[in-house]
Amino acid sequence: MILVFGGTGQLGAARARPARGVEPLVALSRADADITDAGAVARAVDRWRPRLVVNAAAYNKVDEAESRAEHAFRINAGGPRTLAEACAATSVPLVHVSTDFVFDGAKGAPYRESDPVAPLSAYGRSKAAGEVAVREASPRHLILRTAWVFGAGTGFVQTVLDLAARHKSLRFVADQFGSPTAADDLARAVLV
């Protein structure tokens, strides 16, 4: 059984839809088990006894994280540490979903997992700290960096569609490059 924390987010919701695979899955919302609450995480892992834990929970309001950095770090760094510690204590592997925001974007070519991180924002720094926390707390982990996740009715693609429906012309920044990732594709890769 796979236990997903952040089960109501884009990745968790994509996998929770019917007919996504044969592996039993429990997708927990923050109300079910807040990743920043060590007791709630331990109880969930003990109750469900998963063969794999996936951390799909995150504070992902990139711009807002600048003014709420402490909050972003509590969720994006403290939460993954809590999950990794619970997984290490029960010898359960952890898949931690991270982001390309851990890089500064200056490379001019696709990043590799071995490239050094250099986040430019509070959000990126909080996610990089979460990666470090997972590495330190659990020997059985996989850190997956993804970008521009979109799903049914959510993400960058939906934002563009919503704006296009309301405005004659749209303006975009031209200093960012990304690799849009369909939540359904990510769910199949991680959770099946």
Side-chain angles (χ1 to χ4, degrees):
M1 191 272 295
I2 299 173
L3 183 60
V4 179
F5 289 83
T8 57
Q10 288 178 311
L11 176 59
R15 180 54 176 87
R17 290 187 200 116
R20 286 284 182 232
V22 296
E23 177 80 22
L25 177 128
V26 173
L28 302 176
S29 68
R30 180 177 41 201
D32 296 327
D34 184 331
I35 65 169
T36 65
D37 180 341
V41 168
R43 285 188 297 277
V45 170
D46 184 58
R47 175 181 178 195
W48 297 105
R49 301 191 185 280
R51 74 161 182 83
L52 177 69
V53 168
V54 176
N55 179 26
Y59 181 81
N60 58 10
K61 296 177 181 175
V62 175
D63 294 334
E64 193 177 287
E66 293 303 316
S67 62
R68 300 193 69 200
E70 186 176 315
H71 184 67
F73 270 83
R74 185 172 63 81
I75 296 167
N76 292 341
R81 178 173 299 282
T82 299
L83 286 171
E85 288 171 349
C87 287
T90 56
S91 297
V92 174
L94 170 66
V95 175
H96 172 65
V97 180
S98 191
T99 177
D100 65 331
F101 273 81
V102 300
F103 300 116
D104 62 10
K107 183 176 178 183
Y111 282 94
R112 297 186 171 280
E113 58 274 1
S114 57
D115 288 336
V117 299
L120 299 176
S121 64
Y123 171 72
R125 288 188 298 275
S126 72
K127 293 297 284 183
E131 291 183 8
V132 169
V134 166
R135 281 190 207 97
E136 290 175 349
S138 177
R140 299 183 69 197
H141 68 270
L142 171 69
I143 297 170
L144 177 66
R145 294 178 181 140
T146 189
W148 295 20
V149 177
F150 67 92
T154 63
F156 178 76
V157 173
Q158 188 62 47
T159 299
V160 171
L161 292 172
D162 290 346
L163 289 171
R166 293 191 315 255
H167 303 285
K168 276 186 165 181
S169 64
L170 302 177
R171 297 182 69 202
F172 294 94
V173 297
D175 64 343
Q176 293 182 16
F177 296 90
S179 301
T181 306
D184 282 346
D185 291 343
L186 183 59
R188 275 191 292 278
V190 175
L191 301 173
V192 174

